[in-house]
Amino acid sequence: MSTPPPQPVSLLREMVIATVVGVATGMYTGNIVVGSAVGIGLGTVLSIVKTLRSGRGGRS
């Protein structure tokens, strides 16, 4: 008997946080490239952390 596939992890909250922080950083520094880099980096880190904490990190 096969096990059902795991439910996908919702990352909406993390993406909203990363977007807001990235936009705020870009506006504060006056440099959209810095804001984009901060937003992308923060979104990546938050997504990885949530995926690992939800038990889908690949460890069995």
Side-chain angles (χ1 to χ4, degrees):
M1 181 176 275
S2 64
T3 59
Q7 295 296 320
V9 177
S10 175
L11 299 172
L12 180 64
R13 183 181 317 149
E14 288 75 13
M15 292 300 105
V16 170
I17 291 170
T19 301
V20 170
V21 171
V23 168
T25 302
M27 291 177 70
Y28 179 75
T29 62
N31 190 342
I32 194 69
V33 175
V34 171
S36 298
V38 168
I40 291 169
L42 182 61
T44 302
V45 169
L46 290 176
S47 298
I48 290 170
V49 168
K50 180 159 186 183
T51 302
L52 291 175
R53 293 191 83 208
S54 70
R56 303 238 350 242
R59 293 185 201 160
S60 300

